[in-house]
Amino acid sequence: MIRQLLATTALVATVATGAIAQSNTTVNTGAEAGDTQASGLYEFEVQTLAPNATTGFLATNMIGKAVMTGETDEAEEIGDINDVIIGRDGNVRAVIVGVGGFLGLGEKEVALDFSRLSFASESDDQFMVVSDASREELENAKSYERPDYIPDWMSTSSVRDEMNKISDGAKSTYETVRKEAIDPAKKHVDEAVNSDWTSENTQLDARTVSTEALIGADVYTSQDNNIGEIAQILIGEDGQAEAVVIDVGGFLGFGEKPVAVSFDSLRMFETENGDLLVTAPFTEEELENATTFEAASYKQNPDSLTLTR
């Protein structure tokens, strides 16, 4: 009922303002032939309770229509109509124009005086909305803020706000799913793939591998991903190897970052050629984000500096 009243009031009010300048110029708004719903604003005759019929536009037909800077092919679209403001006397006071943004998202709304609009004829009963305002003027104008006490369902801007909320909620949900499900599953798959590519090699008991062989050995997280080489072996009080320091990243020795990883996390293999193959179960991101190894800090709290799996 409210929507019907709004549309009927706007219909009579639009005619009463005298703001309609019906030009005979035919204007190309860029819509394809036959796509009248996208560009056309229709004027039609309607019989009210008065003796004589009247003509005008439906407010609902105005909403969503583009506002142009002129009537020529070079005219620029400066926004689209989101709402109509009507005074107590029944006259249309202003329209709410959405400026900027993309598909209604991120746009700014501005109240534009109805007196600054005119209507250019496109065909027999179809018009385009024209304004003497420029895009720059609207972008620099004060933003229209919808009153809090107006029901949300009556506002097209509130629909966009809800779309933004849904979009933000979807992003948040995706991040949660990614962290709790996608990343662990990917890691499991990666580990399974990694175990397959080492299956043709002979796994070694790490205690049988000399420190001389380990120093300088390349460390792999997958068949094609060499993350760095072992620079140091860290020995505990019991004389056993507790961790190794891997120089991660860099190029030709420059820009490398030393990272300590637990000795038990490494797996060692002998290849068909008799070479030593060392693998680590860490991702490249984990190694890059790990704390940089410093001997003094490691001595004070080795567990806090050592990546382990």
Side-chain angles (χ1 to χ4, degrees):
M1 181 64 182
I2 295 177
R3 291 176 63 87
Q4 186 176 5
L5 176 61
L6 176 64
T8 305
T9 306
L11 171 64
V12 178
T14 304
V15 178
T17 60
I20 303 175
Q22 295 186 13
S23 167
N24 291 324
T25 304
T26 300
V27 181
N28 177 14
T29 62
E32 296 292 336
D35 187 15
T36 54
Q37 183 63 27
S39 62
L41 179 63
Y42 289 92
E43 183 182 37
F44 62 96
E45 183 178 286
V46 61
Q47 183 67 56
T48 67
L49 298 181
N52 298 322
T54 188
T55 58
F57 305 102
L58 283 174
T60 51
N61 187 217
M62 292 183 65
I63 294 175
K65 291 300 183 288
V67 179
M68 310 298 294
T69 56
E71 305 174 18
T72 66
D73 291 343
E74 291 74 27
E76 178 187 11
E77 180 180 332
I78 57 177
D80 47 56
I81 299 174
N82 290 339
D83 220 329
V84 179
I85 297 178
I86 302 170
R88 292 188 181 184
D89 58 2
N91 290 333
V92 177
R93 302 298 189 196
V95 293
I96 305 302
V97 179
V99 183
F102 179 68
L103 297 180
L105 300 178
E107 73 178 12
K108 169 186 177 180
E109 290 192 317
V110 176
L112 178 63
D113 297 299
F114 193 74
S115 60
R116 299 193 63 178
L117 297 183
S118 60
F119 299 84
S121 176
E122 292 188 279
S123 59
D124 292 342
D125 60 354
Q126 188 177 357
F127 296 81
M128 68 181 296
V129 184
V130 179
S131 175
D132 61 358
S134 66
R135 175 183 290 274
E136 182 179 8
E137 184 179 359
L138 292 179
E139 289 177 344
N140 293 332
K142 181 179 179 180
S143 295
Y144 163 77
E145 299 293 337
R146 186 174 181 81
D148 294 336
Y149 51 83
I150 300 296
D152 283 344
W153 64 267
M154 295 178 66
S155 169
T156 55
S157 61
S158 68
V159 174
R160 287 192 298 275
D161 291 341
E162 290 302 318
M163 290 175 62
N164 286 330
K165 290 178 183 178
I166 292 172
S167 176
D168 292 340
K171 291 178 182 177
S172 176
T173 300
Y174 171 76
E175 286 301 316
T176 301
V177 172
R178 182 183 64 79
K179 291 178 181 178
E180 297 182 359
I182 297 176
D183 285 352
K186 182 176 181 296
K187 179 181 176 182
H188 178 74
V189 171
D190 288 343
E191 290 176 348
V193 171
N194 288 344
S195 63
D196 289 339
W197 72 269
T198 59
S199 61
E200 296 182 356
N201 302 303
T202 303
Q203 186 166 357
L204 301 174
D205 185 338
R207 293 173 298 179
T208 67
V209 180
S210 68
T211 56
E212 182 181 359
L214 282 176
I215 297 295
D218 291 328
V219 182
Y220 291 80
T221 57
S222 67
Q223 187 170 6
D224 300 317
N225 191 22
N226 178 350
I227 59 171
E229 62 180 30
I230 297 176
Q232 300 180 53
I233 300 175
L234 306 176
I235 308 298
E237 294 180 354
D238 59 359
Q240 300 297 316
E242 291 187 347
V244 299
V245 177
I246 303 175
D247 287 335
V248 179
F251 179 70
L252 297 179
F254 295 99
E256 293 176 334
K257 172 183 177 179
V259 175
V261 304
S262 64
F263 189 83
D264 292 340
S265 66
L266 302 178
R267 299 174 67 201
M268 302 178 195
F269 302 86
E270 182 181 358
T271 68
E272 294 179 351
N273 299 326
D275 297 328
L276 176 64
L277 171 64
V278 182
T279 68
F282 307 105
T283 66
E284 193 167 357
E285 183 179 7
E286 286 176 318
L287 291 165
E288 290 175 350
N289 293 332
T291 303
T292 300
F293 170 78
E294 295 179 353
S297 300
Y298 180 83
K299 289 178 181 178
Q300 294 177 0
N301 191 0
D303 291 338
S304 67
L305 290 180
T306 305
L307 281 180
T308 185
R309 184 74 79 213

